Amino acid sequence: MMSKAKFITFEGVDGAGKSTHLQWFADVLRQRGLEVLVTREPGGTSLGEHLREILLNQPMHAETEALLMFAARLEHIEQVIRPALRRGTWVVSDRFSDASFAYQGGGRGVALPKLEQLERWVHEDLQPDLTLLFDIPIEVARQRLSNNASLDRFEQEQGGFFEKVRQAYLERYRKNPQRFALIDAAQTPEAVKADIEKIIRSLT
Ligand code: TYD
């Protein structure tokens, strides 16, 4: 019997390497005969991609940033994520609400109850089935980013910002450990792949 389609998210600070592993993860699921949709946040819809362009480039109040992230998310959920899951397609998203708690909450200091309120508003009855959290010391992540020529508004932040983002991610993990797989992203890409392979075996 076909099991229910799953919603899986990839999270971590910029430079943790999650995007590199995400495509490969989706390909392995496809090789196992699953229909898989790869998407990202902010983005994933036409409106969401417009908002992404603004969010990554235009300075704004931290709470405006949080509201726009969740506005893009609502559109993404209603137009893309729920319809895919309903037709039996697995959804793999490069970031979701944990990123808002980490970046707008931890990084920018938006109050946790406000973010929790937005989360309830936008997706009370939907959470990822699994979140792969790529955890890495900030110095290592920064070093990887320094090879990148064009840095967006978030990537241009200082190390202290990313330390707070990392801690807020780990706090989300501690509050809800059963939803997460914590991955040591400082390992070699091969070692990370081996960890992800184990996760896939437990999923399919
Ligand atoms: P990212 O996912 O790192 O994409 P790329 O690999 O193309 O740079 O970029 C998205 C940025 O948006 C990242 O710096 C984190 C930020 N972000 C938030 O601050 N809050 C959110 O809710 C989401 C989804 C992303």
Side-chain angles (χ1 to χ4, degrees), residues 14 18 42 52 69 73 95 99-100 103-104 154-155:
D14 295 272
K18 69 181 166 49
R52 179 188 179 92
M69 290 291 179
R73 181 160 302 129
R95 302 192 186 282
S100 298
Y103 283 79
Q104 282 66 55
F154 293 99
E155 292 164 340

Side-chain angles (χ1 to χ4, degrees), residues 11-15 18-19 40-42 52 56 65 69-70 73 94-101 103-104 108 148 152 154-155 161-162 169:
E11 298 281 0
V13 298
D14 295 272
K18 69 181 166 49
S19 306
R40 68 170 179 182
E41 288 202 353
R52 179 188 179 92
L56 297 193
E65 198 176 274
M69 290 291 179
F70 273 97
R73 181 160 302 129
D94 194 339
R95 302 192 186 282
F96 191 62
S97 286
D98 295 313
S100 298
F101 283 85
Y103 283 79
Q104 282 66 55
R108 303 258 194 251
N148 194 333
D152 67 40
F154 293 99
E155 292 164 340
F161 174 86
F162 288 102
Y169 266 131

Side-chain angles (χ1 to χ4, degrees), residues 132-148:
L132 279 70
L133 175 54
F134 289 71
D135 183 56
I136 190 167
I138 297 309
E139 318 79 75
V140 184
R142 302 300 290 162
Q143 210 148 9
R144 289 185 185 170
L145 274 186
S146 65
N147 303 325
N148 194 333

Side-chain angles (χ1 to χ4, degrees), residues 6-109:
K6 289 196 162 68
F7 174 33
I8 299 167
T9 58
F10 277 51
E11 298 281 0
V13 298
D14 295 272
K18 69 181 166 49
S19 306
T20 315
H21 293 287
L22 188 147
Q23 268 318 324
W24 176 79
F25 175 84
D27 285 342
V28 175
L29 292 181
R30 287 187 186 113
Q31 283 159 17
R32 294 175 177 228
L34 299 169
E35 283 287 330
V36 182
L37 178 84
V38 171
T39 185
R40 68 170 179 182
E41 288 202 353
T45 65
S46 163
L47 174 66
E49 291 294 329
H50 282 301
L51 289 173
R52 179 188 179 92
E53 182 61 30
I54 297 168
L55 279 160
L56 297 193
N57 298 297
Q58 162 84 51
M60 64 185 78
H61 191 283
E63 293 189 351
T64 308
E65 198 176 274
L67 288 165
L68 288 180
M69 290 291 179
F70 273 97
R73 181 160 302 129
L74 195 153
E75 205 63 15
H76 191 209
I77 292 168
E78 296 307 322
Q79 280 195 29
V80 175
I81 299 174
R82 284 195 209 274
L85 293 173
R86 244 182 260 131
R87 61 176 188 268
T89 298
W90 287 45
V91 177
V92 181
S93 185
D94 194 339
R95 302 192 186 282
F96 191 62
S97 286
D98 295 313
S100 298
F101 283 85
Y103 283 79
Q104 282 66 55
R108 303 258 194 251

